[in-house]
Each structure stands twice: as structure tokens, then as C-alpha cells.
């Protein structure tokens, strides 16, 4: 497999078509091995053009995700993670939960290219059609208290925002609590679910589920989310984006998770806070309030000044932003 992966990496990084001879020479393998590797990649679903006298070119829409490609890019603590990639599942969180119940190890990561019953926060559905996004769930067995473990979601939001930025080159922001925004649209949602160990004030396990919209679905997003939802790309998706994005997210997340109690991700979260400085409306249960967001504190609580001047900290809730502001971001006027 190593040769196939090397050839894939070479094609992904090539500026234009490359000849079999050039690849063989640079990779220190025979032309026949290059030819065989290209065959295997095509079998795996990669679209590779091979023109006479022009060499091989990985077609940029070729966006196959396979466990080997993701594993190849893992670094640091993420290298120990078992990666499983599936075409389609009901929900990566649901499937990983049952693996956790059967004793699955910390770090197990399930990635799917489609979810038929993707789940969002507050019992909502998370639209996850085939070929438009990636859906990742990671299994954790935290040794910290249940309270300290709450910051896994904050860590995940920063991991995604930084990964999106590394891959697309565009500035990603975080809308408290944990939605990642790109150019005024929500491109990622995170759902963390946990099984509490009451006796030890800890967790048996936690599942952090991340869904990123890479492309808008054919025909657009469903009407109920059309105003808010967005994607990383609206044109052709560059080759290797799915694999790179998955690896960048996993690497960053497990890097943060290793030092979770020190919250090494908070500064990045605070700097990316979409709500800071905005007049917002927020809902907690049935209660609707307005206020000015002053920032996010080191425990990821939203600092709000209410109309009567009182300052309050919120640990949970739903915030609505004025449409005008999002329109401004969409026009690039950050
Ligand atoms: C939200 O925005 O409400 C959270 C959405 C979380 C979606 C992800 S996709 C991977 C994982 N599996 C699920 O069913 N949900 C999460």
C-alpha cells in the first residue's frame, strides 16, 4: 500500500500532469510500480487522466476518502487512533456509541460520506447527503471530571475552525457555542454526547460528532436551513480536500485533548468569536433576552451585558444574530 499512497501524494501535490517516468524517478520505484499504483487508485475510485505524452493527472473533483489516506496524514497523539471510513451510516454518533458500549478504545474515529439519520443539537436533524460533506465521530474515554470534560466541544470547534482555515485559506469563525462559520454561513455543526459515570463524577465515554458541509447539495440546502447553511466550496472541490480536512481536524482535536484541562484552544476560540461586540437575542428554554455580547470567558461562557446594565455569564443557550450582520460577512466586510 505504501507505494500507492506515495503515488497518490505525488499526484495530489503535482501542479499539472506528471509522467510515469518522472514519478518513478522521484519516488525511487519502477515505472511498472507506478502503473500498478495508478491502477489501484482508479479501482479505489480516484479519477486519474492519463493522456499520451502528457502523463498522469489526478482530476480535481476526485475526492475519495479512504482510511489509509487519512492515516497517512495523522500526526502527534492522533497517530494512535483507529480510523474507520464508511460510505454511508445512519449516524456516525449512533454507530460509534454502540461500539463504545461494546468496549471500543479511546481514539476510535468513524468517518462517513453520508448519514441517513444525521442528528443535530436539540433533537434536530443534520442534513448529510452523499458526496457533499464529511461526518466524523471520535470516541473519548476522558479521565477528567464530567465538568472538565465539557470543554471537548470547545476544543472540537477550534480544531474544525483551524482545519477549515488550513485547507481553504479562508478565515473561519465560531458562533458560540460551537458552530463554525465561513463567510457568514454555518459550515459545521458539532454534537457531543456522553455516558455519565455518576459514582466517579466522570464519564464512561464521550462521542464528539462533527459534520462539515464541503459542497452545497445539488438543488441547494433544504428551505429550513437555506438562510444559514453554507459550504466550504461552491465550485469544484480541489483534490484531496476531504482527506486533508479529516486529518487536520483529527490531528488538532487530539492535540488539544491531550492537554484538555489547560484549555490550550481558548485563545483561538476567543479570537474567532463571531458574536463578540454584537447585539443579539438569545433563548434559554422559554426565556428570550437581548443583550450586547462582551466576549467569551476562559470557561467558554458567553459574557453578555443586558439592557439594564447587568452583566451575565451564559453556559448554554441559542443565539440569534441580526441578518444584516451576516449579510455584511457574506459580502466580505468583516
Ligand atoms: C448541530 O449543528 O446541531 C450539530 C450537528 C452535528 C452533526 C454531526 S455529523 C457527525 C455526527 N453524527 C451525527 O449524527 N451528528 C454529528
Amino acid at each position: 500500500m505504501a507505494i500507492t499512497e506515495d503515488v497518490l501524494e505525488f499526484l495530489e501535490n503535482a501542479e499539472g500532469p506528471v509522467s510515469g517516468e518522472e514519478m518513478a524517478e522521484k519516488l525511487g520505484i519502477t515505472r511498472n510500480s507506478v502503473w500498478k499504483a495508478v491502477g489501484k487508485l482508479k479501482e479505489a475510485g480516484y479519477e486519474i487522466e492519463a493522456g499520451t505524452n502528457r502523463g498522469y493527472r489526478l482530476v480535481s473533483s476526485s475526492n475519495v476518502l479512504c482510511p489509509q489516506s487519512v492515516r497517512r496524514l495523522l500526526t502527534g497523539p492522533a497517530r494512535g487512533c483507529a480510523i474507520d471510513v464508511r460510505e454511508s451510516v445512519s449516524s456516525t454518533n449512533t454507530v460509534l456509541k454502540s461500539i463504545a458500549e461494546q468496549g471500543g478504545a479511546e481514539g476510535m474515529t468513524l468517518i462517513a460520506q453520508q448519514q441517513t439519520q444525521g442528528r443535530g443539537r436539540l433533537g434536530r436533524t443534520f442534513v448529510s447527503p452523499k458526496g457533499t460533506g464529511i461526518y466524523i465521530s471520535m470516541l473519548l474515554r476522558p479521565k477528567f471530571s464530567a465538568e472538565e470534560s465539557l470543554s471537548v466541544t470547545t476544543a472540537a470547534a477550534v480544531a474544525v475552525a483551524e482545519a477549515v482555515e488550513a485547507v481553504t485559506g479562508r478565515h473561519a469563525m465560531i458562533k458560540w457555542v460551537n458552530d463554525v462559520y465561513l463567510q457568514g454561513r454555518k459550515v459545521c455543526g458539532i454534537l457531543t454526547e456522553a455516558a455519565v459515570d455518576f459514582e466517579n463524577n466522570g464519564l464512561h465515554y464521550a462521542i464528539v460528532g462533527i459534520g462539515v458541509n464541503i459542497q452545497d447539495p445539488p438543488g441547494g440546502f433544504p428551505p429550513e436551513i437555506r438562510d444559514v447553511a453554507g459550504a466550504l466550496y461552491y465550485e469544484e472541490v480541489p483534490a484531496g480536500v476531504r482527506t486533508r480536512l479529516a486529518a487536520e481536524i483529527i490531528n488538532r482535536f487530539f492535540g488539544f485533548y491531550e492537554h484538555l484541562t489547560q484549555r490550550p484552544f481558548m485563545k483561538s476560540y476567543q479570537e474567532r468569536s463571531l458574536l463578540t461586540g454584537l447585539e443579539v437575542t438569545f433563548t434559554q428554554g422559554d426565556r428570550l433576552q437581548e443583550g450586547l455580547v462582551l466576549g467569551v470567558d476562559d470557561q467558554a461562557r458567553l459574557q453578555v451585558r443586558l439592557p439594564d446594565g447587568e452583566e451575565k455569564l451564559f453556559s448554554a443557550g441559542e443565539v440569534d444574530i441580526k441578518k444584516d450582520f451576516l449579510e455584511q460577512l457574506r459580502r466580505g466586510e468583516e
Side-chain angles (χ1 to χ4, degrees), residues 91-93 115 117-121 124 126 135-137 179 186 189-191 209-211:
S91 146
T92 52
N93 267 29
Q115 296 185 116
Q117 290 163 49
R119 294 186 289 109
R121 290 175 61 229
R124 295 180 189 133
F126 190 75
Y135 314 104
I136 307 176
S137 293
D179 291 339
K186 173 174 167 177
I190 300 172
L191 175 67
I210 296 170

Side-chain angles (χ1 to χ4, degrees), residues 2-320:
I3 291 183
T4 314
E5 287 169 13
D6 288 347
V7 168
L8 174 61
E9 191 170 6
F10 201 97
L11 289 170
E12 277 176 357
N13 294 325
E15 303 263 299
V18 270
S19 69
E21 196 174 352
E22 185 186 340
M23 267 197 280
E25 198 185 303
K26 299 237 167 86
L27 294 173
I29 55 177
T30 63
R31 279 175 68 180
N32 191 39
S33 306
V34 171
W35 182 77
K36 276 192 190 155
V38 168
K40 280 190 193 160
L41 290 170
K42 282 183 175 170
E43 252 172 53
Y46 289 92
E47 214 180 313
I48 298 171
E49 277 177 2
T52 344
N53 300 328
R54 282 194 299 119
Y56 298 107
R57 187 181 78 90
L58 184 64
V59 176
S60 53
S61 59
S62 177
N63 253 306
V64 181
L65 192 60
C66 65
Q68 292 87 348
S69 320
V70 178
R71 251 178 246 137
R72 175 170 63 90
L73 299 177
L74 295 183
T75 55
R79 287 176 82 169
C81 296
I83 308 286
D84 187 3
V85 177
R86 311 234 184 126
E87 240 351 269
S88 176
V89 296
S90 54
S91 146
T92 52
N93 267 29
T94 309
V95 174
L96 198 55
K97 232 193 231 180
S98 79
I99 294 176
E101 299 285 355
Q102 288 158 39
E106 173 155 274
M108 270 203 86
T109 300
L110 176 62
I111 309 174
Q113 313 218 49
Q114 178 187 26
Q115 296 185 116
T116 52
Q117 290 163 49
R119 294 186 289 109
R121 290 175 61 229
L122 309 170
R124 295 180 189 133
T125 300
F126 190 75
V127 180
S128 322
K130 188 176 166 61
T132 64
I134 49 169
Y135 314 104
I136 307 176
S137 293
M138 299 175 285
L139 170 56
L140 310 175
R141 296 199 178 272
K143 287 167 196 69
F144 336 104
S145 69
E147 206 169 46
E148 282 170 327
S149 302
L150 287 175
S151 50
V152 291
T153 312
T154 316
V158 177
V160 174
E162 291 185 355
V164 164
E165 203 159 295
V167 170
T168 65
R170 284 176 285 153
H171 185 54
M173 301 189 84
I174 301 170
K175 174 177 172 265
W176 185 86
V177 186
N178 48 30
D179 291 339
V180 177
Y181 271 62
L182 197 64
Q183 292 175 312
R185 290 191 172 271
K186 173 174 167 177
V187 293
C188 164
I190 300 172
L191 175 67
T192 302
E193 297 176 290
V196 180
D197 176 357
F198 287 110
E199 279 175 28
N200 298 311
N201 180 33
L203 300 180
H204 286 302
Y205 64 83
I207 310 267
V208 182
I210 296 170
V212 186
N213 304 328
I214 295 190
Q215 271 174 301
D216 51 338
F221 288 100
E224 61 278 16
I225 56 171
R226 197 164 286 167
D227 268 359
V228 175
L232 304 193
Y233 298 95
Y234 296 93
E235 66 290 348
E236 205 181 337
V237 179
V241 157
R242 284 178 170 72
T243 310
R244 268 193 64 211
L245 186 69
E248 295 270 2
I249 292 173
I250 299 166
N251 283 339
R252 284 185 164 77
F253 177 77
F254 282 100
F256 292 148
Y257 180 65
E258 197 174 38
H259 307 287
L260 192 76
T261 53
Q262 291 151 44
R263 302 172 198 259
F265 39 82
M266 256 349 275
K267 194 162 175 275
S268 181
Y269 187 106
Q270 286 156 340
E271 282 168 4
R272 293 170 189 282
S273 166
L274 184 71
L275 300 181
T276 303
L278 294 188
E279 294 280 357
V280 297
T281 314
F282 48 92
T283 322
Q284 268 197 315
D286 293 341
R287 193 143 179 243
L288 199 76
Q289 284 180 287
E290 289 196 345
L292 171 70
V293 177
L294 303 174
V296 176
D297 78 357
D298 287 342
Q299 274 135 61
R301 293 174 300 188
L302 196 69
Q303 303 165 306
V304 181
R305 184 180 301 136
L306 302 177
D308 63 5
E310 186 196 353
E311 287 182 15
K312 272 184 121 177
L313 290 170
F314 292 90
S315 306
E318 284 284 287
V319 179
D320 277 332

